[in-house]
Amino acid sequence: MSRVVTVAGAIPPESLGITDAHNHVWIDPVPCIARNSPVLNQREEILAELKKYVRAGGRTIIDCQPAGCGRNANELALLSKESGVNLVACTGFHRRVYYSPGYWLWGAQVEEIARHFIEEVLTGMHETLKAQTPVKAGLIKIACEESLQKTHRPALEAAAIAAVETGLAMEIHTEKGADVENIARFFLERGVKAGQIVLCHIDKRPDPGLHFELAQAGIYLEYDTFYRPKYQPEKFLWNLIVQMVTAGLHKQVVLATDMAESAMWVTPGLANYPHSIRQQLLEKDLGSEYVNDLMGMNIGRCLAQI
């Protein structure tokens, strides 16, 4: 039977409950990068927010911070245990701007990078290998630049190899949905299944025809601009959700908040998602079954590859 790999071990997908499909729970400072790069390491405040998330009905959060740019899976494991939140951690890579100069991945060959990703899935993430029980990655998270062509090709090739060999889902950061057609094609041509692919932040490119086409192909679309007024969520995000439901494509949509900035953990805070966002979805007369799919069941099926 399929399972979702959390930092505390594998669980059935139906145990995920309300799930934020793309967020950042912990980000250590990274030397020699831009000063305004996100940092999330205020432990007591983070733990308190996670507990509020549980009290509001939240159950699971997908942490999308890969190694080398602030990931700390040991902290994720402790926070999960102390808060009761299921946390799913990732292997993979982020945008180059978030790494210190000279980070090993940018000079490595495809085979070495792929082996690293696969080992983090099968054996444990490198910072946890000395722990009594190493923490395994539950998904692959990668980041594309504004185009596929400008993204580090060896890392892309390695991610495709790792996805095929492990069968894990892969969340792909896109720059406001840019070049998603070529991104999807790249991985499909290398044997990654459509149902393994989650295209992130694609609601920043609110083209219903494009969304219909990708969803009909079996690809998952991640929407997360609820708290970003500059992307006019009332005009675009909420309408996209309704259109996807109306078109019968809602099972290919996963919802998230992507709150990498510490200020967002204060306002609106983690608990707003299982409480207010869920309530607004129900007020759209979507029905609880649709809401449950959007807020947990869909990403559960994706992660467990059902």
Side-chain angles (χ1 to χ4, degrees), residues 114-194:
R115 184 169 62 251
H116 173 79
F117 294 162
I118 293 167
E119 287 176 352
E120 291 212 312
V121 173
L122 300 182
T123 304
M125 290 176 280
H126 71 87
E127 69 267 32
T128 75
L129 293 178
K130 294 182 180 179
Q132 184 174 0
T133 305
V135 178
K136 296 179 181 180
L139 79 156
I140 300 165
K141 153 66 188 303
I142 70 168
C144 289
E145 305 293 346
E146 60 267 28
S147 71
L148 187 70
Q149 188 176 11
K150 292 183 178 180
T151 307
H152 191 59
R153 182 55 66 98
L156 288 170
E157 298 283 0
I161 293 170
V164 171
E165 291 199 14
T166 65
L168 275 191
M170 177 166 51
E171 292 205 17
I172 304 173
H173 166 96
T174 70
E175 285 292 286
K176 303 175 185 178
D179 209 21
V180 291
E181 301 92 334
N182 287 324
I183 293 168
R185 186 178 304 112
F186 175 90
F187 288 105
L188 292 172
E189 288 176 348
R190 283 157 179 77
V192 180
K193 297 175 182 177

Side-chain angles (χ1 to χ4, degrees), residues 240-261:
L240 276 172
I241 292 172
V242 173
Q243 289 178 79
M244 294 298 281
V245 170
T246 302
L249 297 170
H250 71 282
K251 289 186 180 292
Q252 299 306 125
V253 176
V254 302
L255 303 182
T257 61
D258 189 25
M259 298 197 296
E261 297 84 13

Side-chain angles (χ1 to χ4, degrees), residues 29-97:
V30 180
C32 303
I33 64 173
R35 291 184 179 180
N36 62 348
S37 296
V39 173
L40 284 169
N41 64 352
Q42 301 83 8
R43 193 176 196 284
E44 292 308 312
E45 290 85 348
I46 291 171
L47 179 59
E49 279 299 304
L50 289 170
K51 290 179 178 179
K52 290 178 184 176
Y53 181 76
V54 172
R55 290 197 295 270
R59 191 73 189 93
T60 304
I61 297 175
I62 313 303
D63 183 86
C64 286
Q65 198 71 19
C69 57
R71 186 189 73 190
N72 189 328
N74 288 307
E75 279 291 352
L76 294 179
L78 288 172
L79 288 166
S80 176
K81 182 178 180 179
E82 294 172 25
S83 68
V85 177
N86 299 316
L87 295 177
V88 180
C90 67
T91 189
F93 66 95
H94 212 326
R95 295 183 63 207
R96 196 161 185 161
V97 68

